[in-house]
Amino acid sequence: VSGIKKPFTEVIKANIGDAHAMGQRPITFLRQVVALCTYPNLLDSPSFPEDAKKRARRILQGCGGNSLGAYSASQGINCIREDVASYIERRDGGVPADPDNIYLTTGASDGIATILKILVSGGGKSRTGVMIPIPQYPLYSAAISELGAIQVNYYLDEENCWSLDVNELRRSLNEAKAYCHPKVLCIINPGNPTGQVQNRKCIEDVIHFAWEEKLFLLADEVYQDNVYSEGCQFHSFKKILYEMGPEYYNNVELASFHSTSKGYMGECGYRGGYMEVINLHPEMKGQLVKLLSVRICSPVSGQAAMDIVVNPPIPGEESYSQFIKEKESVLNNLAKKAKLTEDMFNKVPGVHCNPLQGAMYAFPRIFIPAKAIEEAKAHKMAPDMLYCMKLLEETGICVVPGSGFGQREGSYHFRMTILPPIEKLKILLEKMKDFHIKFLEKYA
Amino acid sequence: VSGIKKPFTEVIKANIGDAHAMGQRPITFLRQVVALCTYPNLLDSPSFPEDAKKRARRILQGCGGNSLGAYSASQGINCIREDVASYIERRDGGVPADPDNIYLTTGASDGIATILKILVSGGGKSRTGVMIPIPQYPLYSAAISELGAIQVNYYLDEENCWSLDVNELRRSLNEAKAYCHPKVLCIINPGNPTGQVQNRKCIEDVIHFAWEEKLFLLADEVYQDNVYSEGCQFHSFKKILYEMGPEYYNNVELASFHSTSKGYMGECGYRGGYMEVINLHPEMKGQLVKLLSVRICSPVSGQAAMDIVVNPPIPGEESYSQFIKEKESVLNNLAKKAKLTEDMFNKVPGVHCNPLQGAMYAFPRIFIPAKAIEEAKAHKMAPDMLYCMKLLEETGICVVPGSGFGQREGSYHFRMTILPPIEKLKILLEKMKDFHIKFLEKYA
């Protein structure tokens, strides 16, 4: 706009997990089914595979008037909630899932904000405390502040690959009890922005802690398909909860979230998602349904997209081989880029990057010289904001300062997605390296 | 479920404005464009018309990575906001509309709830008062209560076809000033549930009143295409505001709302909508954008559907004649059903029904005998709730009691959609007549 010449030719938006915007192609099968649902005349077209048609017919049968244009029930289309429940049972090795506990939401964000809304109550010293990891995904801090609840921070351990230590949970909870009533514990696994993947032991500890302290668990598991590191595996909180036995699974209240936006499909624009809520008090459930019904229903085309995420082609079906090829291509690429990013950052002096075990972000720690910190202070700016602004101005690369996610006092980070195509990512990482070295020199 | 035999074979859901669920067919052109956007391979198919392809290409160019799966800007896709602005200018005879004032929303409900959220502030005696018509659409009362604002009722005049009288606005406002700070005036035109269409004089009076009293105007105009009565015409608040001159159009703050869900398209499931907001204070605008960005963006397929509502085929284009045929068929049918419903209800003793000038509901006044009122009180039920429950049990017809919308003390109503196909609607109205007569006899 200003006409001032910049030392770069394009802005690279590595600030937001928006896969398609960075060139990732949609999964063909998912789009075929949604197109068939959108324009059912295509059900007669020989150019669409039978397995896609079968799913489209089933979804349409679940829609009022067989149309994506009808409202669904507030909780979501029945047959899609059934498919979600079957998916969860398969994923969790047979642990039962009840469609009645499934709610289709407008992306995961909507589910998280809605659950928080029914859990938050009270004022003064009995104000509801909501425990969140630091660093966190800013949806949490925004929702907590909007609801007038109290944000209770627990810190992830950067020295140990951003792992969650239950002693830190306990410290955080005990301190919070002095000024609020902590009721909710939020977990992001795989982590955003930190990319750690929690192991079974960690999840068991967290569940035991929630049981002991009667905390409502929110498990944000939208990156459940995005696990890359050797030896890492996604375990759902629901599964581990069941494996811990009836004392736990009959008592611990748990809401877990998934979405069409991440994983290998990256369908952010459809705003599809679901949550599974177990052990919710019937009175709270009534409140939840009432709250959902004010917005009538989540977008039905997003519900359809969610259905394909949980009900993809299976071996023997016509579209299976293409589907698997596309899915694995996306995930293998992300795994390569995760490793590449970690390795490249760790070669830069003054940068430390934990392994990107999962999700789709790097959150490296950066050393910022004292002189740069002074300059930032003079501009009333967080030092990592200054760093990111300079990076943008000099290279066209857009990343988000760590201060937007929270970090330990005196440490500085930024979040960058690994979504650009690999050749572009390499160039981008080279540019960031050069920038960082010059930055260190300039403010030495 | 219970297995008890009911005296009917199907439940007819005349309780919600869900056109496709009641058998209305989608507009072909709209679905063609959305299908093309969903699965762009179809852009090579000879079975899709060129004008649909042209629009799909344009929408996709506005999407990140040319995909409906990318997030859009929080305010919505630029080229769609431009199309909305052009639509408003055409509709309003050339009154300018700025795309920068357009926000694409998740249905109109989302826009209304979001605007109310930024307008409501303060506690105690300075709590924000929001003026709403009685009867009202319950989204308003729910949003107001959720925000902790004060609902300020003004009554529509049932004796005069549910018209809005500015003296009643003044009475309501003056009384409210004693206990809150009224800041917002909500108008629903054409009316839901009342179906009245406001004339130019009425709108001028309302705008003058809002100007005088410095009230923020919310004009819910989602039924702008649903006007049936001879001599009635839709006038947008925006247009009349401009025609009243710069003293008004430079000062009165106005948000107006539209949606894909009603009109002739009835695409409720897509959750598409827009709002146009004028004279919003820049600081408030900043708050609005911040609030919208928490949910990232409205569903992109809903945005695409909204585009076709505001940018349909024009004369000379390939799809024009089919589009007009489909559109007029829906609207002519609704007009017939509006007249039929009014006439049939007014033949029933103890029922009075104002003309259904617009929208898609009848809101007849029903006489409920004293004995029935007593029975309802014994069950701690609103008398019209008892009436609607009995109607459902005996006929399978589902309508909504007037007490859900608000009504003058001692008067009783229900809301019924006119969406069932005409032959079915006739049978339904006959059944309701028989039910009503028997009801009067039973409780005589």
Side-chain angles (χ1 to χ4, degrees):
Chain A
V1 188
S2 68
I4 296 167
K5 207 166 152 108
K6 297 282 179 193
F8 52 85
T9 51
E10 72 169 323
V11 170
I12 303 174
K13 294 187 69 180
N15 59 323
I16 175 168
D18 192 359
H20 292 195
M22 296 311 285
Q24 186 181 307
R25 308 290 310 145
I27 297 292
T28 303
F29 186 77
L30 186 150
R31 291 301 188 91
Q32 284 175 329
V33 177
V34 179
L36 287 161
C37 292
T38 305
Y39 192 56
N41 285 17
L42 293 170
L43 288 164
D44 301 326
S45 161
S47 50
F48 282 76
E50 270 312 312
D51 45 4
K53 288 180 184 175
K54 196 176 102 187
R55 281 169 181 74
R57 283 196 198 96
R58 184 158 179 280
I59 293 168
L60 288 175
Q61 272 162 22
C63 293
N66 302 320
S67 169
L68 288 190
Y71 292 120
S72 75
S74 296
Q75 200 172 342
I77 294 173
N78 284 344
C79 69
I80 300 181
R81 291 191 291 112
E82 285 163 15
D83 288 347
V84 169
S86 307
Y87 161 79
I88 293 173
E89 291 187 359
R90 284 195 315 276
R91 183 196 67 188
D92 292 346
V95 169
D98 183 346
D100 199 41
N101 292 337
I102 309 294
Y103 300 77
L104 302 179
T105 56
T106 308
S109 325
D110 170 51
I112 294 167
T114 306
I115 282 287
L116 283 175
K117 202 178 258 180
I118 64 161
L119 295 178
V120 168
S121 59
K125 230 189 164 175
S126 74
R127 271 166 85 187
T128 304
V130 179
M131 300 180 72
I132 61 171
I134 297 295
Q136 54 116 17
Y137 178 59
L139 164 69
Y140 290 94
S141 48
I144 291 167
S145 128
E146 206 184 305
L147 294 168
I150 301 285
Q151 173 178 327
V152 177
N153 296 338
Y154 65 88
Y155 288 85
L156 301 175
D157 184 1
E158 185 166 17
E159 312 308 313
N160 283 296
C161 291
W162 295 113
S163 66
L164 192 167
D165 180 352
V166 84
N167 294 317
E168 165 61 10
L169 284 184
R170 188 158 286 122
R171 176 208 62 78
S172 161
L173 181 75
N174 288 339
E175 287 180 18
K177 280 176 177 170
Y179 56 88
C180 70
H181 177 36
K183 284 205 285 193
V184 187
L185 169 56
C186 302
I187 306 286
I188 313 176
N189 177 49
N192 176 7
T194 44
Q196 88 286 11
V197 176
Q198 296 179 348
N199 60 33
R200 171 184 291 270
K201 171 74 168 60
C202 167
I203 296 175
E204 283 173 359
D205 289 350
V206 170
I207 291 173
H208 181 77
F209 178 77
W211 170 81
E212 221 173 30
E213 300 286 352
K214 296 196 180 354
L215 296 169
F216 195 110
L217 262 176
L218 294 201
D220 180 341
E221 301 177 329
V222 300
Y223 296 98
Q224 58 191 265
D225 285 316
N226 300 99
V227 175
Y228 314 118
S229 287
E230 202 71 39
C232 284
Q233 196 194 330
F234 171 73
H235 304 281
S236 81
F237 268 72
K238 168 86 180 305
K239 182 180 188 218
I240 307 288
L241 177 66
Y242 267 72
E243 292 174 355
M244 288 171 73
E247 177 55 28
Y248 293 93
Y249 71 68
N250 287 330
N251 290 300
V252 175
E253 296 165 299
L254 168 69
S256 44
F257 304 89
H258 196 16
S259 148
T260 59
S261 304
K262 310 301 167 187
Y264 55 90
M265 48 287 175
E267 294 283 9
C268 310
Y270 277 95
R271 314 306 298 122
Y274 76 75
M275 57 185 177
E276 183 187 24
V277 190
I278 62 175
N279 292 321
L280 187 66
H281 189 283
E283 204 174 280
M284 299 296 267
K285 184 163 182 168
Q287 274 188 47
L288 176 58
V289 171
K290 199 174 156 190
L291 199 58
L292 290 171
S293 68
V294 174
R295 299 296 180 92
I296 314 182
C297 67
S298 69
V300 178
S301 51
Q303 297 185 35
M306 193 74 238
D307 190 57
I308 302 316
V309 174
V310 297
N311 186 20
I314 54 172
E317 284 189 314
E318 192 177 346
S319 304
Y320 180 72
S321 66
Q322 189 186 352
F323 168 75
I324 284 295
K325 219 178 100 191
E326 291 177 359
K327 174 179 171 176
E328 290 187 346
S329 157
V330 171
L331 292 177
N332 290 340
N333 256 307
L334 283 170
K336 266 185 226 159
K337 292 191 283 187
K339 191 76 183 73
L340 173 78
T341 304
E342 178 197 343
D343 291 348
M344 294 274 285
F345 274 136
N346 284 327
K347 280 182 196 145
V348 184
V351 174
H352 171 73
C353 184
N354 271 326
L356 281 66
Q357 299 173 334
M360 38 180 70
Y361 313 99
F363 194 67
R365 179 168 180 167
I366 45 176
F367 172 72
I368 297 187
K371 272 195 185 163
I373 295 176
E374 273 166 41
E375 183 176 320
K377 277 189 184 147
H379 289 85
K380 297 194 163 124
M381 216 183 234
D384 46 15
M385 174 60 106
L386 175 89
Y387 183 92
C388 293
M389 291 300 292
K390 300 260 174 209
L391 177 71
L392 178 62
E393 280 164 19
E394 288 175 30
T395 65
I397 299 166
C398 182
V399 300
V400 189
S403 43
F405 303 90
Q407 54 201 351
R408 286 213 181 258
E409 177 96 30
S411 76
Y412 304 108
H413 303 77
F414 60 80
R415 189 189 78 166
M416 185 192 89
T417 74
I418 56 168
L419 292 170
I422 197 152
E423 288 314 313
K424 214 171 191 171
L425 183 65
K426 277 183 194 160
I427 298 168
L428 181 153
L429 289 165
E430 282 295 344
K431 280 190 178 176
M432 293 181 83
K433 178 181 161 188
D434 295 345
F435 166 82
H436 189 78
I437 291 170
K438 270 196 243 156
F439 185 87
L440 292 190
E441 280 166 6
K442 184 177 167 191
Y443 292 101
Chain B
V1 191
S2 68
I4 295 167
K5 206 163 156 108
K6 296 282 180 193
F8 52 85
T9 52
E10 70 169 326
V11 171
I12 303 174
K13 293 186 71 179
N15 59 322
I16 174 167
D18 192 0
H20 292 196
M22 297 309 286
Q24 186 182 306
R25 309 290 310 145
I27 298 291
T28 304
F29 186 77
L30 186 149
R31 292 300 189 91
Q32 285 175 328
V33 177
V34 179
L36 287 161
C37 292
T38 304
Y39 192 56
N41 285 17
L42 293 169
L43 288 164
D44 300 325
S45 160
S47 51
F48 282 76
E50 270 312 313
D51 45 5
K53 289 181 184 173
K54 196 177 102 187
R55 280 168 181 75
R57 282 196 198 95
R58 184 158 178 279
I59 293 167
L60 288 175
Q61 272 162 21
C63 293
N66 302 318
S67 169
L68 288 191
Y71 292 119
S72 75
S74 295
Q75 199 171 343
I77 293 174
N78 284 345
C79 68
I80 299 182
R81 291 192 290 111
E82 284 163 16
D83 287 347
V84 169
S86 308
Y87 162 80
I88 293 172
E89 290 187 358
R90 284 196 314 276
R91 181 196 69 188
D92 291 345
V95 169
D98 182 348
D100 198 41
N101 292 336
I102 309 294
Y103 300 78
L104 302 180
T105 55
T106 309
S109 325
D110 170 52
I112 294 166
T114 306
I115 281 287
L116 283 175
K117 201 177 260 181
I118 63 161
L119 295 178
V120 167
S121 58
K125 231 190 162 176
S126 74
R127 271 166 85 186
T128 303
V130 179
M131 301 180 71
I132 62 171
I134 297 295
Q136 55 113 17
Y137 179 59
L139 163 71
Y140 291 94
S141 48
I144 290 166
S145 127
E146 205 184 306
L147 294 168
I150 302 285
Q151 174 178 328
V152 176
N153 296 339
Y154 66 89
Y155 288 84
L156 301 176
D157 184 0
E158 184 165 17
E159 312 308 313
N160 283 297
C161 292
W162 295 114
S163 65
L164 192 167
D165 180 352
V166 83
N167 294 317
E168 167 60 10
L169 283 184
R170 189 158 287 122
R171 175 208 62 77
S172 161
L173 180 75
N174 288 339
E175 287 181 17
K177 281 176 177 170
Y179 55 87
C180 69
H181 177 36
K183 284 205 285 194
V184 187
L185 170 55
C186 301
I187 307 285
I188 313 176
N189 177 50
N192 176 7
T194 46
Q196 88 286 9
V197 176
Q198 296 179 348
N199 61 33
R200 169 184 293 272
K201 171 73 168 61
C202 166
I203 295 174
E204 283 173 359
D205 288 351
V206 171
I207 291 173
H208 181 75
F209 177 78
W211 170 82
E212 222 172 28
E213 300 285 352
K214 298 197 181 348
L215 296 170
F216 195 110
L217 263 175
L218 294 203
D220 179 340
E221 301 178 329
V222 299
Y223 296 98
Q224 58 190 266
D225 285 315
N226 300 99
V227 175
Y228 314 117
S229 287
E230 202 70 40
C232 283
Q233 198 193 330
F234 171 73
H235 303 281
S236 80
F237 268 73
K238 166 89 181 301
K239 181 179 189 219
I240 307 287
L241 178 66
Y242 266 72
E243 291 174 356
M244 288 170 74
E247 177 54 26
Y248 292 92
Y249 71 68
N250 288 331
N251 289 301
V252 176
E253 295 165 299
L254 169 68
S256 44
F257 304 90
H258 196 14
S259 150
T260 58
S261 305
K262 310 299 168 189
Y264 54 90
M265 49 286 176
E267 294 283 9
C268 310
Y270 278 95
R271 314 308 296 121
Y274 76 76
M275 59 183 177
E276 183 187 24
V277 191
I278 63 175
N279 292 322
L280 187 67
H281 189 284
E283 205 174 281
M284 299 295 267
K285 184 161 182 169
Q287 274 187 46
L288 176 58
V289 171
K290 199 174 156 190
L291 200 56
L292 291 171
S293 68
V294 174
R295 298 296 180 92
I296 314 184
C297 67
S298 69
V300 177
S301 51
Q303 297 186 34
M306 192 74 239
D307 190 58
I308 301 315
V309 174
V310 297
N311 186 20
I314 54 172
E317 284 188 313
E318 192 178 346
S319 304
Y320 180 71
S321 66
Q322 189 188 352
F323 169 75
I324 284 295
K325 220 177 99 190
E326 291 178 358
K327 173 179 173 176
E328 290 188 345
S329 157
V330 172
L331 292 177
N332 290 340
N333 256 307
L334 284 170
K336 266 186 225 158
K337 294 191 281 187
K339 191 77 183 71
L340 173 78
T341 304
E342 177 196 345
D343 291 348
M344 294 274 284
F345 274 136
N346 284 328
K347 280 181 195 146
V348 184
V351 174
H352 172 73
C353 184
N354 272 325
L356 282 66
Q357 299 174 334
M360 38 182 70
Y361 313 98
F363 195 67
R365 179 168 179 167
I366 46 175
F367 172 72
I368 297 188
K371 272 195 185 164
I373 295 175
E374 273 165 42
E375 183 176 321
K377 276 186 187 148
H379 290 86
K380 297 197 162 124
M381 214 184 236
D384 46 14
M385 174 59 107
L386 175 87
Y387 184 92
C388 293
M389 290 300 290
K390 299 261 176 207
L391 177 70
L392 177 62
E393 280 163 20
E394 288 174 29
T395 65
I397 299 165
C398 181
V399 300
V400 189
S403 43
F405 304 91
Q407 53 201 352
R408 286 216 181 256
E409 177 96 30
S411 77
Y412 304 107
H413 303 77
F414 60 81
R415 188 188 80 165
M416 186 193 88
T417 74
I418 56 167
L419 292 171
I422 196 152
E423 289 314 314
K424 213 170 191 172
L425 183 66
K426 277 182 192 160
I427 297 168
L428 180 153
L429 290 165
E430 282 295 342
K431 280 189 180 178
M432 293 181 85
K433 178 180 160 189
D434 295 345
F435 166 82
H436 188 80
I437 291 169
K438 270 196 245 159
F439 186 88
L440 293 189
E441 281 166 6
K442 183 178 168 190
Y443 292 101

